[in-house]
Amino acid sequence: MHPEPTAELRHRTVEAPAGRLHLVEQGTGPLVLLVHGFPESWYSWRRQLPALAAAGYWAVAIDVRGYGRSSRPTATEAYRMLDLVEDNVAVVRALGEENAVVVGHDWGSSIAAVSALLHPEVFRAVGLLSVPYAPPGGGPRPTDIFDRIGGPEQEFYVSYFQEPGRAEAEIEPDVRGWLAGFYAALSADTMPAHGEPDPHFVARDGRLRDRFPTGVLPAWLSEDDLDFYAGEFERTGITGALNRYRNMDRDWEDLAPHRGAPIKQPSLFIGGALDASTTWMSDAVDAYPTTLPALSASHLLDDCGHWIQQERPDEVNRLLTGWLATLQG
């Protein structure tokens, strides 16, 4: 049985470089900062907040800038990784703490990793869900790499997201339907079968949603859950969320001084065996002895897709709280 997701949740906003950041907190004890991914919300941690609180932690889930009740800067370049990292630092300081454990999922995993890399004095440990840590690298610009992935017949979704307004024109007329399809496309129980068109790609002159499952919700997503997510993006629009993808080349330049740098703090990785984010980046997981030298454990959950803390909340909660307990010694 899951912990009650709404009991004793506290909402507030704090000042940050973004302007303001909305956060939801539960519990008392050592601070654990939870950072969501695309296209999500603090609500993606609704099953972790009570579990972490019950285990003796101060669990704080933020709305990343551009999402939910947090500020939405208008400039595309305001969503570069360095700015998101400084938002995380500002949250810890605004809460009156010297340091925190940071845990992220999807883009939040990357934000958490770079936060730990750039500010080891603030982030004493880092938990990564779904997206493995890959150190900043040289080589081609990210957009050049993604442009080559698709080939002549189709386009990789990251490339599709690059042009301002293009993906918005697909998503915003039917936010709820688009989100339902996107969540289903990457969930273990509803993702397309092997051999069917890959929903991470867009047919030339097509739409991303053309390859999404229709008429079915994954088991972890109730109609009420979908209503919450849809309501957030219907109010805010999707541009702030998409602008994260539109800064990958800027991040490549900004983080060049940290090329190949390991994260030396204690770390944890949890991935889904059926998640493309994990399988495509298997080389990054293999490199953990070098890139995460203080890794406590790396877990791959069988029959699990991308939305790992929502698909498998009890297992993720057990792994997170067990790992956090080892940090208190």
Side-chain angles (χ1 to χ4, degrees):
M1 184 173 179
H2 300 309
E4 170 56 45
T6 57
E8 302 177 13
L9 295 178
R10 306 181 297 274
H11 292 254
R12 66 163 127 166
T13 57
V14 299
E15 296 300 313
R20 71 181 186 280
L21 284 180
H22 169 245
L23 58 85
V24 179
E25 56 187 321
Q26 189 168 4
T28 59
L31 178 60
V32 181
L33 184 65
L34 303 170
V35 186
H36 68 79
F38 174 89
E40 300 186 76
S41 161
W42 73 265
Y43 189 76
S44 299
W45 302 102
R46 63 194 177 280
R47 301 299 186 188
Q48 283 65 55
L49 288 162
L52 293 176
Y57 299 97
W58 183 7
V60 174
I62 66 170
D63 278 334
V64 174
R65 69 165 66 189
Y67 287 83
R69 303 184 203 174
S70 292
S71 291
R72 299 185 301 280
T74 55
T76 301
E77 59 269 23
Y79 295 83
R80 65 207 309 155
M81 182 65 74
L82 293 182
D83 291 328
L84 298 171
V85 167
E86 292 310 312
D87 284 346
N88 282 352
V89 173
V91 170
V92 175
R93 297 294 184 237
L95 294 176
E97 293 296 302
E98 291 297 319
N99 57 63
V101 176
V102 61
V103 178
H105 169 257
D106 182 77
W107 263 122
S109 177
S110 300
I111 298 166
V114 180
S115 296
L117 178 65
L118 299 186
H119 289 284
E121 78 285 359
V122 177
F123 301 104
R124 61 189 180 91
V126 58
L128 310 174
L129 274 57
S130 298
V131 175
Y133 175 60
R141 289 181 178 273
T143 55
D144 291 338
I145 295 172
F146 295 131
D147 285 346
R148 291 198 297 265
I149 291 176
E153 301 299 325
Q154 57 185 8
E155 183 178 13
F156 192 48
Y157 79 100
V158 176
S159 298
Y160 179 69
F161 285 167
Q162 292 302 308
E163 181 185 342
R166 186 182 179 200
E168 286 92 332
E170 172 185 338
I171 299 168
E172 291 183 349
D174 178 21
V175 171
R176 193 179 191 275
W178 194 91
L179 290 175
F182 190 73
Y183 296 147
L186 305 186
S187 297
D189 58 336
T190 49
M191 64 176 54
H194 182 71
E196 294 182 359
D198 190 334
H200 295 90
F201 293 86
V202 185
R204 297 293 176 180
D205 301 320
R207 304 174 304 169
L208 196 62
R209 70 184 302 159
D210 292 339
R211 297 183 175 184
F212 292 169
T214 58
V216 61
L217 294 183
W220 62 266
L221 184 69
S222 71
E223 295 284 353
D224 287 344
D225 295 332
L226 181 58
D227 284 341
F228 181 89
Y229 284 118
E232 294 291 271
F233 289 107
E234 287 169 348
R235 186 179 71 253
T236 66
I238 199 76
T239 296
L242 290 167
N243 279 344
R244 175 82 289 274
Y245 292 91
R246 295 165 182 162
N247 279 277
M248 297 179 77
D249 285 349
R250 293 185 183 95
D251 299 339
W252 177 78
E253 296 172 351
D254 290 342
L255 297 173
H258 304 278
R259 178 178 180 179
I263 294 174
K264 298 179 181 178
Q265 299 96 303
S267 56
L268 173 74
F269 176 72
I270 312 173
L274 301 180
D275 182 9
S277 298
T278 301
T279 56
W280 286 344
M281 297 183 69
S282 60
D283 288 349
V285 176
D286 293 341
Y288 278 169
T290 300
T291 61
L292 295 176
L295 181 71
S296 300
S298 178
H299 302 276
L300 200 61
L301 306 189
D302 291 337
D303 301 317
C304 184
H306 182 65
W307 316 105
I308 190 166
Q309 79 270 36
Q310 299 181 87
E311 291 187 52
R312 302 281 278 277
D314 295 337
E315 195 165 356
V316 168
N317 291 345
R318 177 178 59 80
L319 293 172
L320 279 178
T321 56
W323 171 64
L324 290 166
T326 70
L327 305 177
Q328 304 309 312

